[in-house]
Amino acid sequence: MDALLCGQGARGLRKSMFVSLFAGCLIILFFTLTSMIKVFSSNLIEPALTSEQHNSYRLVLITSELDTPFWAKVEKGAMAAAEQYGASLEVWGTYGSNRDDFLKNIEVAIVSKVDGIIVQGLDTDEFKSLTKVKAASSGIPIITVANDVPMNESLRRTYVGSDHLEAGSMIARQLVSDMGFAGRVVLMVSDRQEYFQRSRLTGILNVLKPYPQIETLIVAAGDSRVDVASATNKLLNEAPNVDAFIAVSANHAGSIIQEISKRMQVEPFYIYSFDDSPETLTLMQQGKIDALIAQSPEAMGEQSVTHMIKWLTGEQVPLNPDGYFTDIKVLRAGETR
């Protein structure tokens, strides 16, 4: 009898232990499933749409002309938009168009795994390699601002800035309106033309082509004031009967005018530029520049950040591959913006 009771007690103990073990397994399974559901659910949520991550976006604006009034305005617009969206924006740049340092900044931004890069486009193989290979393979979106590089060559997401083809057309139409349907026109370009310069030049030539009595002379000069002055001096020696100058690269206008003024009065010439910088505005107020294309650098900065944030959040996908053009206008002597 005692043996029977002892056996029943052992069976009851084993049953109790089994029930406890089973319950313990259920509890462990419950917490495991709960954790898995939480992890899985968090992966289903668009990370860019959460306010915490939205506020932690780190963007970088990179330019090779950090010390110019134009880029100061781009920076101002970009900073205002970043503050509006709660994003972090750093501005990196170089002085004096130091291309090696400029490219190094892009490479550092990629290695730093920033969320987005807004950059002044540079039409070189090195730039395209960084954006097309390194940035793309790291999943970092690139938006070019002010100066573009073709999308198929750079894999940039979009471009924000002036329509340089239309800008060239606008300044050429102003020239025809001022000068008439005949004359010799010098188109001063850089030795190594950027994509935006080629677009401007194409716009100019498209407008002037129907006028057979307008002769165009394309003159290549370096980027320094000394190089531009030298090219202008040589031109005036070889072709003294020039009627007009168009500084396709905006920073050439001052050097052209300075060199002309050493020889003769500037006023008889029709002179045009593409940027309302303090120098060109002063020259226009003095009557030495007849008209220029006024751009919208502050809007470029603001819109580039806005489009970058909207892409990162999925609100605007895809971005327009042709770009988003900011306002441009012809500003004539005696006019203000």
Side-chain angles (χ1 to χ4, degrees):
M1 186 68 174
D2 290 340
L4 179 61
L5 290 174
C6 186
Q8 288 177 346
R11 285 196 300 271
L13 181 60
R14 286 197 299 270
K15 182 177 180 181
S16 176
M17 291 177 60
F18 176 78
V19 170
S20 298
L21 182 61
F22 181 72
C25 290
L26 286 177
I27 292 170
I28 293 171
L29 180 62
F30 171 78
F31 284 111
T32 301
L33 289 173
T34 301
S35 299
M36 291 177 63
I37 290 170
K38 286 181 179 180
V39 172
F40 183 71
S41 297
S42 66
N43 288 335
L44 292 179
I45 298 173
E46 178 78 21
L49 297 181
T50 65
S51 60
E52 291 80 5
Q53 292 190 0
H54 182 84
N55 291 337
S56 67
Y57 285 140
R58 184 187 175 201
L59 310 180
V60 175
L61 170 64
I62 304 175
T63 172
S64 63
E65 301 172 27
L66 195 61
D67 55 343
T68 65
F70 180 93
W71 281 96
K73 293 178 182 178
V74 174
E75 178 182 344
K76 181 181 178 182
M79 283 293 188
E83 183 177 354
Q84 177 186 348
Y85 287 100
S88 167
L89 176 68
E90 299 170 40
V91 180
W92 298 353
T94 55
Y95 300 91
S97 299
N98 188 318
R99 290 185 175 177
D100 290 337
D101 287 348
F102 172 69
L103 294 169
K104 185 65 177 177
N105 279 333
I106 300 173
E107 193 165 10
V108 170
I110 295 170
V111 173
S112 301
K113 298 187 182 301
V114 298
D115 295 297
I117 298 173
I118 300 167
V119 63
Q120 176 184 4
L122 181 63
D123 197 7
T124 67
D125 291 337
E126 294 85 357
F127 177 89
K128 294 169 188 174
S129 175
L130 283 173
T131 58
K132 194 172 185 177
V133 179
K134 291 190 176 182
S137 62
S138 298
I140 300 174
I142 299 281
I143 289 180
T144 52
V145 62
N147 301 346
D148 195 18
V149 177
M151 183 178 184
N152 63 322
E153 297 177 17
S154 63
L155 291 186
R156 52 93 170 139
R157 298 291 176 177
T158 193
Y159 159 72
V160 178
S162 301
D163 181 344
H164 293 291
L165 181 68
E166 176 59 18
S169 300
M170 290 169 67
I171 209 70
R173 287 193 291 267
Q174 185 62 45
L175 165 67
V176 173
S177 175
D178 294 341
M179 184 183 72
F181 305 142
R184 299 189 83 187
V185 181
V186 174
L187 308 178
M188 189 73 78
V189 300
S190 297
D191 287 330
R192 196 194 153 284
Q193 293 179 46
E194 297 289 340
Y195 179 63
F196 76 93
Q197 285 192 47
R198 296 199 301 273
S199 298
R200 289 174 179 175
L201 190 60
T202 299
I204 294 168
L205 295 174
N206 286 345
V207 170
L208 299 183
K209 186 176 180 180
Y211 304 101
Q213 294 185 58
I214 294 181
E215 180 186 357
T216 56
L217 305 173
I218 300 176
V219 177
D223 291 323
S224 73
R225 297 183 74 93
V226 173
D227 290 339
V228 177
S230 176
T232 304
N233 184 55
K234 181 180 179 182
L235 171 74
L236 293 173
N237 287 334
E238 298 175 353
N241 57 338
V242 168
D243 299 291
F245 287 85
I246 298 180
V248 180
S249 179
N251 58 1
H252 288 176
S255 299
I256 292 170
I257 291 170
Q258 184 177 27
E259 197 61 29
I260 293 173
S261 64
K262 292 178 181 179
R263 295 172 169 240
M264 62 196 82
Q265 293 294 314
V266 176
E267 285 72 15
F269 293 93
Y270 298 98
I271 301 179
Y272 304 88
S273 183
F274 280 89
D275 184 19
D276 54 334
S277 67
E279 181 186 28
T280 54
L281 285 174
T282 299
L283 290 170
M284 193 168 70
Q285 290 167 0
Q286 295 172 349
K288 296 178 180 179
I289 289 180
D290 293 271
L292 53 80
I293 296 295
Q295 302 188 72
S296 304
E298 197 167 329
M300 294 179 196
E302 184 274 325
Q303 291 184 30
S304 61
V305 170
T306 297
H307 288 301
M308 179 65 79
I309 293 293
K310 288 186 175 181
W311 188 88
L312 289 169
T313 60
E315 182 179 343
Q316 196 173 17
V317 177
L319 296 173
N320 186 343
D322 295 327
Y324 300 90
F325 296 137
T326 50
D327 290 339
I328 53 175
K329 64 174 290 189
V330 175
L331 196 62
R332 293 180 288 273
E335 293 181 343
T336 57
R337 283 176 68 84

